[in-house]
């Protein structure tokens, strides 16, 4: 009999779509969240915290696979991932699928360093594992612009392109990987188009009916240089289907 698949971060932007795709594929799903049980039916719920370890033993017990989408958006992701691994090792060595970011080894952002170290914890975990790196989600790019909506000027990174991808495209791939055999590091996934931050901001403003000045800002530093060099892009892997403009149009409906 098939055991459930645990989705950490199953309440997040990506994780909740992964949960739905696995349910649609007929799999039983357990969601790990720090929150008390959701009223939403259709899947199991495990309340737990990867920073403290509370509830993690119960969450990882009796599962076939773990899709690890939870993030603390900080360097604490390394210890959190290790905690998940240690618990999974005590509970039958399920397949661990980790979502990472294109360029974690090329752009020296502190969060990317933590993701890279978390990847290393996964690869040396002795669990069966799969790692997928993707480019930025449409939601994140939209947030970099919408966060400035009260300002008359929208600052964007001069000379920086992004290749945003839709979480549905990523979730579909993760769900496929979760029901398949451990695959190691699989090919990166990028969104269908590479566009400048400037251009993406203008598309966002047009789609949301806002008029603002878009101001490209040339910032110094190794992180922005890494972005300017395109370390976070996957031009050869432009496999995502939903464009940023299509994503924006759907948000308006
Ligand atoms: N955003 C991007 O552009 C992008 C691109 C490529 C890869 N990724 C990766 O994709 C993954 C998901 O990103 P996302 O944007 O969907 O994240 P998100 O929306 O910020 O969701 C974060 C999730 O992590 C859970 N979480 C946070 N702290 C936790 C803790 N201490 N213990 C247990 N769960 C905890 C939250 O659950 P509760 O609040 O319910 O506890 C939430 O479901 C991340 O690993 C990220 O690095 C993101």
């Amino acid at each position: 009999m098939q055991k459930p698949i645990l989705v950490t971060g199953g309440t997040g932007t990506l994780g909740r779509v992964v949960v739905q795709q696995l349910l649609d594929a007929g799999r039983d799903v357990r969601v790990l969240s720090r929150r008390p049980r959701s009223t939403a039916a259709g899947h199991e719920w495990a309340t737990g915290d990867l920073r403290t370890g509370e509830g993690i033993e119960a969450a990882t017990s009796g599962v076939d696979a773990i899709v690890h989408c939870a993030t603390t958006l900080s360097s604490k992701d390394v210890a959190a991932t290790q905690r998940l691994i240690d618990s999974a090792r005590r509970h039958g060595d399920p397949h661990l699928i980790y979502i990472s970011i294109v360029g974690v080894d090329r752009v020296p952002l502190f969060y990317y360093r933590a993701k890279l170290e978390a990847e290393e914890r996964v690869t040396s975990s002795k669990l069966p594992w799969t790692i997928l790196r993707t480019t930025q989600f449409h939601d994140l790019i939209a947030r970099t612009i919408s966060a400035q909506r009260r300002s008359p000027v929208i600052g964007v990174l001069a000379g920086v392109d992004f290749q945003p991808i839709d979480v549905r495209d990523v979730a579909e791939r993760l769900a496929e990987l979760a029901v398949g055999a451990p695959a190691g590091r699989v090919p990166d996934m990028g969104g269908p188009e590479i566009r400048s931050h400037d251009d993406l901001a203008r598309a966002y403003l047009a789609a949301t009916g806002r008029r603002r000045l878009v101001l490209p800002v040339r910032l110094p530093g190794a992180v922005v240089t890494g972005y300017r060099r395109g370390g976070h892009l996957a031009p050869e892997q432009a496999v995502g289907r939903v464009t940023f403009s299509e994503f924006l149009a759907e948000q308006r409906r």
Side-chain angles (χ1 to χ4, degrees):
M1 205 184 93
Q2 283 180 332
K3 297 183 216 156
I5 294 174
L6 174 67
V7 182
T8 76
T11 56
T13 308
L14 171 64
R16 58 175 168 253
V17 188
V18 173
V19 169
Q20 194 52 55
Q21 299 227 2
L22 286 168
L23 291 172
D24 291 348
R27 292 301 303 252
D28 290 334
V29 176
R30 182 181 301 163
V31 169
L32 171 69
S33 168
R34 291 164 297 175
R35 307 172 206 181
R37 184 176 181 72
S38 139
T39 48
H43 54 70
E44 296 177 28
W45 190 268
T47 300
D49 190 330
L50 285 164
R51 278 167 88 155
T52 63
E54 192 189 337
I56 302 307
E57 295 290 330
T60 54
S61 137
V63 295
D64 266 343
I66 301 173
V67 186
H68 183 26
C69 298
T71 180
T72 62
L73 291 172
S74 74
S75 56
K76 298 210 163 46
D77 272 13
V78 180
T81 300
Q82 188 62 54
R83 206 160 278 125
L84 183 70
I85 289 168
D86 292 345
S87 188
R89 293 279 288 137
R90 290 190 286 273
H91 291 96
D93 289 338
H95 176 194
L96 178 60
I97 301 96
Y98 185 54
I99 174 73
S100 189
I101 305 172
V102 170
V104 286
D105 49 352
R106 292 194 292 251
V107 179
L109 186 69
F110 78 97
Y111 180 58
Y112 287 12
R113 288 200 177 117
K115 296 286 296 184
L116 184 61
E117 202 180 330
E119 281 189 3
E120 287 159 7
R121 300 297 177 98
V122 171
T123 59
S124 59
S125 66
K126 299 199 171 72
L127 291 171
W129 60 271
T130 301
I131 293 175
L132 171 67
R133 290 183 184 174
T134 77
T135 54
Q136 283 64 48
F137 302 159
H138 291 322
D139 312 69
L140 178 67
I141 299 301
R143 271 205 306 276
T144 66
I145 305 154
S146 70
Q148 306 178 65
R149 66 188 176 281
R150 294 192 208 294
S151 161
V153 176
I154 306 287
V156 293
L157 294 169
V160 173
D161 294 337
F162 287 99
Q163 189 180 355
I165 189 164
D166 196 277
V167 286
R168 287 165 294 184
D169 289 331
V170 178
E172 187 179 313
R173 178 74 173 129
L174 281 177
E176 175 187 57
L177 292 167
V179 300
R185 169 94 189 276
V186 296
D188 296 348
M189 269 186 99
E193 300 172 323
I194 297 179
R195 297 172 71 176
S196 68
H197 199 194
D198 183 332
D199 186 32
L200 291 163
R202 289 177 204 286
Y204 175 89
L205 292 171
T208 54
R210 292 191 171 92
R211 290 168 67 90
R212 298 282 190 284
L213 182 68
V214 176
L215 182 67
V217 182
R218 204 167 176 85
L219 294 177
V223 171
V224 181
T225 302
Y227 281 130
R228 265 199 296 271
R229 288 186 181 142
H232 60 306
L233 304 176
E236 311 298 324
Q237 296 293 335
V239 293
R241 286 181 302 235
V242 182
T243 66
F244 187 62
S245 298
E246 286 166 349
F247 161 82
L248 290 172
E250 287 179 27
Q251 304 288 301
R252 296 289 290 159
R253 281 190 212 127

